[in-house]
Amino acid sequence: MRKSNQKGFTIIELLVVIVIIGILVALALPNLFAAQARGRDSDRKNELKNLQQKLESYFNDNDQYPAAATWAADIGASADETTGPRSDTYTYATPDQQTYTLTATLENAGDKDTSDGTGPLADYVLVSVNQ
């Protein structure tokens, strides 16, 4: 028997509150993870644009882009500048040292700046100004 002057919550009331909190958390977490991925992608794009400026400055001084094997050292880029937020490396390719492509793989395939926009990952590509 239950006394009428007892205070507190029943087990059913507690379970209902826990279920409601669980539903709210389940709805919020995917948005949080997506926002983090978009932030890392923004960092990648900004780093690539900074590298592009250094490459164009190098071209203006030397009338050619640096060789693929030594490009980071030639433009004075640190290891932090040539790797992304999750230690993913950026790809630099120059077939003739008169043009280049600089590529980073983004986590958000739906990003409007990606080259293909397919699959779970998509490439963000910058090309030389001289193309």
Side-chain angles (χ1 to χ4, degrees):
M1 286 197 226
R2 186 172 175 180
K3 295 180 183 177
S4 61
N5 63 354
Q6 282 185 330
K7 296 180 182 177
F9 297 104
T10 65
I11 191 76
I12 299 297
E13 291 169 332
L14 291 173
L15 287 174
V16 168
V17 170
I18 291 171
V19 167
I20 290 171
I21 290 172
I23 290 170
L24 293 174
V25 168
L27 293 174
L29 280 180
N31 292 333
L32 174 66
F33 293 141
Q36 289 175 335
R38 285 191 305 272
R40 287 188 298 271
D41 285 347
S42 178
D43 285 347
R44 287 181 183 96
K45 289 192 265 186
N46 288 333
E47 287 173 350
L48 252 59
K49 288 178 183 174
N50 289 338
L51 291 171
Q52 183 181 37
Q53 288 177 343
K54 288 183 177 188
L55 286 165
E56 296 305 331
S57 177
Y58 182 93
F59 183 84
N60 289 337
D61 294 342
N62 300 297
D63 293 325
Q64 68 180 11
Y65 292 109
T70 60
W71 73 279
D74 291 345
I75 64 172
S78 68
D80 288 341
E81 292 175 297
T82 58
T83 58
R86 289 197 163 174
S87 299
D88 46 333
T89 56
Y90 303 134
T91 306
Y92 170 79
T94 178
D96 55 7
Q97 290 187 286
Q98 296 301 307
T99 60
Y100 70 84
T101 58
L102 194 55
T103 308
T105 301
L106 301 183
E107 295 175 60
N108 180 14
D111 191 296
K112 63 180 175 60
D113 295 329
T114 58
S115 60
D116 55 5
T118 61
L121 301 174
D123 288 337
Y124 175 69
V125 179
L126 293 178
V127 295
S128 60
V129 174
N130 296 317
Q131 281 190 342

